[in-house]
Amino acid sequence: MELGSTAGGTAAENDGAGAEGGAGERGAVGEGAPVWRALPPGLLRVRRLVLALWLVPAALAAGLLPGMLAGPGWALFALLPLAALAWGWVLLGRNWRSWRYAERADDLLISRGVLWREETVVPYGRMQLVEVTSGPVERRFGLATVQLHTAAAATDATIPGLVPAEAERLRDHLTRLGEARSAGL
């Protein structure tokens, strides 16, 4: 079930609760307020690298070709992709800081979004499949994505950019809890 409400806390408060959180954080599962965990900074580095790999050559092409063919004044078109790079750089940082997840006693919370906050609640008993995937770029930078599948397509959830060890721990933990919770159905 996806809720439009905002989750408590700011990104600055959650930056300390990274994916390599200690045992104290895991001990708080099910007690009071959820313990939010932020995504590792490797995801931000990968996304910014991909942005630069697309827009720097575009800036060179937009500046060199018109500059050589139509005159030096037309080389200013290179500023358009560079402006998009600067804007995208900032937006990617804001988006990365907005992602977080928390494991509670009966469900998993995933919160994301800058302008429109979105909080997804996935009950452990409703999970049908928990996948860990890692494409070639993710593998190169030591990242993995956890994909949760439920009976309702609208509640499928993803946690991108986790360290593979954390992704596997989360998969195993969610699978155990899902089996235990669905056994009573």
Side-chain angles (χ1 to χ4, degrees):
M1 158 184 352
E2 293 186 8
L3 303 172
S5 65
T6 59
T10 63
E13 293 170 349
N14 300 317
D15 284 343
E20 294 81 28
E25 288 178 359
R26 289 192 192 113
V29 171
E31 301 171 6
V35 177
W36 291 101
R37 302 178 69 144
L39 298 182
L43 178 66
L44 179 61
R45 284 192 297 270
V46 168
R47 288 183 174 175
R48 284 180 169 168
L49 176 66
V50 169
L51 179 71
L53 286 175
W54 278 100
L55 291 178
V56 168
L60 289 173
L64 287 177
L65 290 176
M68 289 187 323
L69 298 174
W74 290 94
L76 292 175
F77 275 111
L79 295 178
L80 293 174
L82 292 178
L85 176 66
W87 186 50
W89 196 271
V90 171
L91 289 180
L92 284 173
R94 289 184 67 194
N95 181 271
W96 170 76
R97 282 189 299 277
S98 76
W99 276 84
R100 57 197 183 145
Y101 67 98
E103 299 170 65
R104 295 194 308 185
D106 295 319
D107 50 29
L108 177 73
L109 303 174
I110 302 171
S111 180
R112 63 197 171 278
V114 176
L115 293 177
W116 287 272
R117 297 286 302 169
E118 192 173 306
E119 187 172 303
T120 304
V121 180
V122 184
Y124 296 135
R126 299 284 176 112
M127 284 189 248
Q128 292 184 332
L129 176 67
V130 181
E131 285 182 303
V132 175
T133 60
S134 188
V137 175
E138 285 179 311
R139 278 194 309 275
R140 172 67 177 97
F141 289 93
L143 300 174
T145 297
V146 174
Q147 175 82 35
L148 306 161
H149 299 279
T150 63
T155 57
D156 287 357
T158 302
I159 304 174
L162 295 176
V163 177
E166 171 64 10
E168 291 171 9
R169 182 207 64 84
L170 188 60
R171 177 198 61 208
D172 295 342
H173 181 69
L174 294 176
T175 301
R176 269 193 311 277
L177 288 171
E179 288 172 354
R181 298 295 194 280
S182 67
L185 295 178

